[in-house]
Amino acid sequence: MARERKFSDEDLFLATKELLLDHGYEGFTFGLLAERLEVSRSALYKYFGNKEELIMEFMMYEMDQFMDKLGKIKEYDRFEDQFDYLLELMMSHPNIHQLIEIGRHVPVNNQKLEEKNEKLDGLHLNMYQSLIGFVRLGKEEGKLKAHIPDTLIVGYILQSFLVPNFAQIPHSEWVQSIKEIIREGMFINNS
Amino acid sequence: MARERKFSDEDLFLATKELLLDHGYEGFTFGLLAERLEVSRSALYKYFGNKEELIMEFMMYEMDQFMDKLGKIKEYDRFEDQFDYLLELMMSHPNIHQLIEIGRHVPVNNQKLEEKNEKLDGLHLNMYQSLIGFVRLGKEEGKLKAHIPDTLIVGYILQSFLVPNFAQIPHSEWVQSIKEIIREGMFINNS
DNA sequence: ATTGAAAGTGACACTTTTGTCACTTTAGGC
DNA sequence: GCCTAAAGTGACAAAAGTGTCACTTTCAAT
C-alpha cells in the first residue's frame, strides 16, 4: 500500500547511537544522520518532529533493549552467576552509561517530551534498582565488601567497560583482566 | 600603557574547561564563553582566531599544569609512595582523561593548528610514558600483578575518578573506597 | 489501469554561530 | 594634558542548522 522505506528503525537507531557517541548531544544534527542513512534531511521529519524527540525515542529503544536483558539477571539465584551474567551484558553494551548521560542533556521543552522523559526516568530507576539489588545480594552472600557504598560498586562496574583499549589487547584477555581487577584489584595480595 | 583586561587567562581557561565538560566540543561556542566571562564575543577574537585555536591553547595549558605535577612522581622512589601521590593527583584533576578525549575531536585544518597538535601529542606521549613507568616499577617491585596489561592498569586508574558520586557519599569515604577497589577489588578475599 | 496512502524530496524562511572590521574606551608613558 | 597601544564593542555578512511545505515517487489493493 505504501512505498518501501529506505532505512529500518534499526538502521536509524544504530546510526543515531554512533553519531551521538562520536559527536555528543549538541554535535548531533539531522543533517549528519540523513547523510549517514542516505536520505534527505526532510524525510526524517516524517518520523520525528525534532532532534529532542528523536533522541528520546532512541533512548527508550536502547533502554528497553538493555532492560530486557538486565531483567534476566533475576533468573540466576547465586550472586556469582549474576556477576558473570552482568559482565557479559556490559561487554555487549559498553557505553550504556555514556548514552544515559547524553540523554540527560536533552532539554525538555513541551508536554510530549515531558511524558517521554518521565518514562525514561522510570527505566533508569528500574535499572538502578536492579543493579542495587544485585549488589545487595552480593553483600548478603558475603561476596562483596560491605563497607563499600552500593552506588560506587554499581558505578564502578558500569565505568569499567569504558577504559579504551588503545593497545589492541585481544578481547578475551582484556575482559579477563577487567574482571580480575573488579574482583581482586590490581595489587598482589600479601596476606 | 594599555587598558585593563576584564578577565585573566585563568578565568578564561577555567570557564573553557567547565563549558567543554558541560557541552562537549561541538556544544562549546564563543557566545557561551563570552557570556560566562561577561565580555563581548568579538573581544575573544583578539586572543584566539577561532574555536579550534582556543581549545588547543586550553589543552596545552591544562596538560602543562598536569604534567608539571605528574613529573614530580619521579621524586618518590618506592612504588607505594608513587601510587599515593598519583591518586592524590588524580583527585585534583579527575577529568583530565575526558578533556584529552574532547581534545582529540578538534579538527586540525591548518599549519598553525598542526604544530600545536604535534606539541600536544608530545605531551600525551610524555604522560603515557610517565604512567607506564609507574606501572613497570610496580611490577618490578612485585606490587602490581604482572599479567595485567600496562595499558589497562593505566586506563583503569584514570577512569576510576570519573565514577559519578550521585549519592553524595562524603569525599574522604569515596576516595578511600576507590583506592581500595583499585588495590584489592570489591570482592571479599577467601584465601 | 487507477488511486490513495505512505515515503521521499528540494526549496524556503528562520535561527544560531562564525569571523571580521571600523569604531570607541582606557590607562600609563611622555 | 596628550598620545598611543592594547582592550573592548556593535554591526555586518557568511555559514550551518532547523522546521515546514508543496510537490513527486512508489507500491499494492481494488
Side-chain angles (χ1 to χ4, degrees), chain A residues 8 16 20 34-36 63 98 126 156-157:
Chain A
S8 66
T16 299
L20 277 177
E35 190 182 21
R36 179 74 67 104
M63 279 300 288
Q98 245 178 316
N126 280 354
Y156 222 91
I157 291 178

Side-chain angles (χ1 to χ4, degrees), chain B residues 89 149 161 187:
Chain B
L89 177 55
F161 294 88
F187 275 51

